[in-house]
Amino acid sequence: MDYKLLNGVQTFAPKSREDLISFALKGQKILVAVNAEKILHATDVSRGIINRNLGYPDGIGAVMALKQKGIKSVVKIPGCELWLDIIKAYHNDKSFYLVGGKQEIVEGTVSKLKFAYPKINIVNFRNGYLKTEQEKLNLIDDIARRKPDVVFVAMGSPKQELLMEEMRQKHPALYQGLGGSFDVYTGNVDRAPKWWVDNNLEWAYRLVKQPSRITRQIHLVKFVYLLKMNKL
């Protein structure tokens, strides 16, 4: 699969969701979402996390940058949809482990998944509040013991990526960081309506709903400028 460096961030350019999932599953990769903000504000630490793993274009900014670099067939793959694509494709023959969110959120996520996919094999799950080092070690040991094929970690970046790297050292599997996707899946947090999503305007919808995000979204102007000037 092709990739390009965007401000030093290694970003893969899948032609479809199926290509990305197959590539990641075969290589037992850690999937890391890449968007304009992560590209623009990349540090040595954040670049290292993404470049050690499999960064994919989660936002339209990353897609635009990849296309400018010459990869015209790349598609945007929102992480909040990708994990459900993985489950839909492999719920009959793969096992899953879920980590993240509040206890009632992860429980609600598991219940909804089991209702939607009665044959799904969720070997275990727990909330995302690891209060001590021992709790983290116990979680990693439990994953190594139960040997899931796929592990979803919904804790936000870079915390989830660093944890997944520790997990993968003890148990190779396909890992994906989900941020707040469990909250969206259970309806605790609303995602942008379909029209906004289809027209790559999720960022604008979030800004309308949360005007305080303007200090973050203003950086998108800088990103577009750097993109047009071919400086990414």
Side-chain angles (χ1 to χ4, degrees), residues 167-221:
M167 292 172 170
R168 191 171 181 273
Q169 288 178 8
K170 291 291 291 288
H171 173 63
L174 170 60
Y175 290 83
Q176 184 187 354
L178 301 183
S181 293
F182 292 167
D183 291 283
V184 174
Y185 183 64
T186 56
N188 191 56
V189 172
D190 290 331
R191 192 184 178 196
K194 188 176 185 300
W195 183 89
W196 297 77
V197 174
D198 290 346
N199 288 277
N200 299 311
L201 291 171
E202 277 191 271
W203 62 271
Y205 179 82
R206 289 195 294 267
L207 183 58
V208 170
K209 299 292 286 187
Q210 296 178 270
S212 61
R213 293 176 63 93
I214 187 63
T215 54
R216 288 180 60 184
Q217 302 291 13
I218 197 68
H219 294 297
L220 293 176
V221 176

Side-chain angles (χ1 to χ4, degrees), residues 120-135:
I120 192 171
N121 180 15
I122 298 176
V123 296
N124 206 359
F125 64 92
R126 65 149 294 153
N127 64 57
Y129 296 88
L130 302 173
K131 298 178 181 178
T132 66
E133 181 71 11
Q134 190 58 52
E135 281 192 43

Side-chain angles (χ1 to χ4, degrees), residues 100-117:
K102 297 178 181 178
Q103 186 64 26
E104 61 268 26
I105 295 298
V106 71
E107 288 178 358
T109 299
V110 170
S111 295
K112 187 173 179 179
L113 288 172
K114 287 183 175 180
F115 180 80
Y117 305 100

Side-chain angles (χ1 to χ4, degrees), residues 8-48:
V9 176
Q10 181 174 279
T11 309
F12 284 81
K15 296 180 180 179
S16 69
R17 299 184 187 206
E18 292 77 15
D19 283 350
L20 177 62
I21 293 171
S22 176
F23 182 74
L25 193 61
K26 185 176 180 180
Q28 298 178 311
K29 304 288 188 180
I30 297 176
L31 287 160
V32 184
V34 177
N35 56 26
E37 191 171 8
K38 288 184 179 179
I39 295 167
L40 185 62
H41 299 303
T43 65
D44 289 343
V45 172
S46 66
R47 284 190 194 94

Side-chain angles (χ1 to χ4, degrees), residues 75-93:
V75 295
K76 184 181 78 168
I77 305 178
C80 61
E81 298 175 6
L82 178 61
W83 75 287
L84 294 173
D85 292 332
I86 294 170
I87 288 175
K88 184 178 180 179
Y90 293 102
H91 66 276
N92 284 322
D93 56 2

